[in-house]
C-alpha cells in the first residue's frame, strides 16, 4: 500500500485571489491534488501547479455537483495514494464550511490533515463597505448565523435570542430564506427600521451593496432580483456603511 498522504483544508478567502493567506498560497502551490469549491476564483486556481489533478466539487444554491460523503471519499482516496491533497474552500472553512465533518472523517480514517483558516465573507464585506462589524457605541455583540436549512425543514434559529441580544447579526446563505428570517426577527421584537446591508459577490469586480431595513429587505430583494452569493448584515453598524465602488 502507498504511504499515507496529507490533506490540507485551505480557506481561499471571500473572492479576491489576493485575500488568501500567505500560508494558504504556499500550500496551494505545492498541491498534487486540488479539490475546489464553486466560489474559488479562476485566478487563484492558476496558482496550483500545472501538474496538479483538479477536481471541481462545488456546491451552490439548488445544485451540488458532489455530496459531502463523496467529497470525503475523494479526500481519503487521493491521500491514501500518498499524495498532497488540498481542499480549497471559499471564505474561512471554520465558518459554515463543513470543515468539522471533513476533519472528523479524516481523523476516523487515520489521514493526517491541517486546516489553514481564511478571511471570512463578513470581514470582507465590512472592509469593502467601510464600516465595522462591532462598535463601542452601537454593537458589542457579533453573531454569525446561517439561513441554510435541510430540505423543507423550517429554519432552526433562536429568533427570540437574536432579537433580544441585538448587536450585529450576520446571515450567511440566507437569501432563499430571507422571508422566514425577517418574519422570525420581527415577531420576536426586532424593530422594522433596524438597518440592513446586503452584499453580493463581495471583493469581486461585480460586487453589489444594497442598504435597506429589516422591514423592507424582502421587498428590496424582489425588486432588484438579487441572486446568491449574498451576505446580510443586520444592526445599527450597517447604517454606517460607505459603499464605495459598488457594482451594478
Amino acid at each position: 500500500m502507498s504511504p499515507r498522504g496529507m490533506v490540507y483544508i485551505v480557506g481561499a478567502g471571500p473572492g479576491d485571489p489576493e485575500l488568501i493567506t500567505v500560508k494558504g498560497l504556499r500550500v496551494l502551490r505545492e498541491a498534487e491534488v486540488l479539490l475546489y469549491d464553486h466560489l474559488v476564483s479562476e485566478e487563484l486556481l492558476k496558482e496550483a501547479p500545472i501538474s496538479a489533478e483538479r477536481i471541481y466539487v462545488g456546491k451552490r444554491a439548488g445544485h451540488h455537483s458532489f455530496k459531502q460523503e463523496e467529497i470525503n471519499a475523494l479526500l481519503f482516496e487521493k491521500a491514501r495514494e500518498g499524495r498532497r491533497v488540498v481542499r480549497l474552500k471559499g471564505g474561512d472553512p471554520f465558518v459554515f464550511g463543513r470543515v468539522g465533518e471533513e476533519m472528523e472523517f479524516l481523523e476516523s480514517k487515520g489521514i493526517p490533515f491541517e486546516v489553514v483558516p481564511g478571511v471570512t465573507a463578513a470581514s470582507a464585506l465590512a472592509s469593502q463597505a467601510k464600516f465595522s462589524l462591532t462598535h463601542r457605541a452601537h454593537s458589542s455583540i457579533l453573531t454569525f448565523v446561517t439561513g441554510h436549512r435541510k430540505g423543507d425543514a423550517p429554519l432552526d434559529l433562536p429568533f427570540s435570542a437574536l432579537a433580544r441580544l441585538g448587536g450585529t447579526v450576520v446571515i450567511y446563505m440566507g437569501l432563499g430564506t430571507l422571508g422566514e428570517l425577517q418574519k422570525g426577527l420581527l415577531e420576536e421584537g426586532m424593530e422594522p427600521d433596524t438597518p440592513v446591508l446586503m452584499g453580493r459577490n463581495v471583493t469581486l469586480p461585480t460586487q453589489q451593496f444594497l442598504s435597506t431595513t429589516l422591514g423592507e429587505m424582502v421587498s428590496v430583494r424582489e425588486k432588484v432580483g438579487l441572486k446568491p452569493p449574498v451576505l446580510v448584515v443586520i444592526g445599527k453598524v450597517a447604517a454606517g456603511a460607505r459603499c464605495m465602488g459598488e457594482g451594478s
Side-chain angles (χ1 to χ4, degrees):
M1 180 180 292
S2 301
R4 290 181 305 170
M6 178 78 178
V7 173
Y8 293 89
I9 304 172
V10 178
D16 181 345
E18 292 188 342
L19 289 177
I20 191 172
T21 65
V22 173
K23 184 170 185 177
L25 185 59
R26 176 178 62 78
V27 169
L28 175 60
R29 287 172 172 169
E30 297 172 350
E32 294 176 306
V33 181
L34 177 63
L35 279 67
Y36 63 97
D37 280 352
H38 174 60
L39 296 178
V40 175
S41 73
E42 289 292 331
E43 288 300 312
L44 199 52
L45 293 177
K46 292 176 183 177
E47 295 290 342
I50 295 175
S51 59
E53 179 182 0
R54 289 165 166 78
I55 306 172
Y56 172 71
V57 293
K59 302 181 184 73
R60 60 182 186 270
H63 178 73
H64 290 184
S65 61
F66 281 80
K67 295 180 180 179
Q68 186 61 51
E69 293 77 12
E70 294 172 321
I71 295 172
N72 291 346
L74 276 170
L75 292 173
F76 174 63
E77 173 190 330
K78 300 301 179 181
R80 191 174 56 174
E81 294 171 359
R83 302 167 78 184
R84 190 180 183 92
V85 182
V86 173
R87 172 76 173 100
L88 194 60
K89 292 173 171 281
D92 181 2
F94 290 103
V95 183
F96 306 120
R98 298 192 181 184
V99 71
E101 296 172 45
E102 292 177 2
M103 288 192 297
E104 290 167 3
F105 174 81
L106 293 169
E107 193 168 48
S108 73
K109 296 296 184 180
I111 300 295
F113 65 88
E114 181 177 347
V115 184
V116 182
V119 176
T120 191
S123 297
L125 184 149
S127 73
Q128 293 295 298
K130 295 179 171 58
F131 73 100
S132 176
L133 293 170
T134 60
H135 193 291
R136 286 192 298 172
H138 304 300
S139 175
S140 59
I141 298 172
L142 175 59
T143 308
F144 289 174
V145 301
T146 175
H148 179 73
R149 61 183 171 194
K150 292 184 178 180
D152 296 325
L155 282 179
D156 184 21
L157 290 176
F159 289 111
S160 177
L162 291 172
R164 184 177 67 255
L165 285 172
T168 305
V169 179
V170 181
I171 303 167
Y172 287 71
M173 297 173 285
L175 192 64
T177 53
L178 206 60
E180 289 179 67
L181 291 159
Q182 179 193 59
K183 181 174 183 289
L185 292 171
L186 289 174
E187 287 182 346
E188 293 297 338
M190 190 174 280
E191 295 296 330
D193 62 353
T194 303
V196 169
L197 182 68
M198 294 188 279
R200 179 176 184 271
N201 286 339
V202 175
T203 76
L204 297 176
T206 54
Q207 73 179 5
Q208 178 182 13
F209 297 104
L210 294 172
S211 294
T212 181
T213 63
L214 178 61
E216 297 293 329
M217 67 181 186
V218 173
S219 60
V220 167
R221 178 198 63 182
E222 298 303 324
K223 181 179 179 180
V224 175
L226 205 58
K227 296 179 180 179
V230 171
L231 199 70
V232 182
V233 179
I234 303 173
K236 291 181 179 179
V237 296
R242 307 163 186 85
C243 302
M244 305 291 288
E246 294 181 68
S248 59

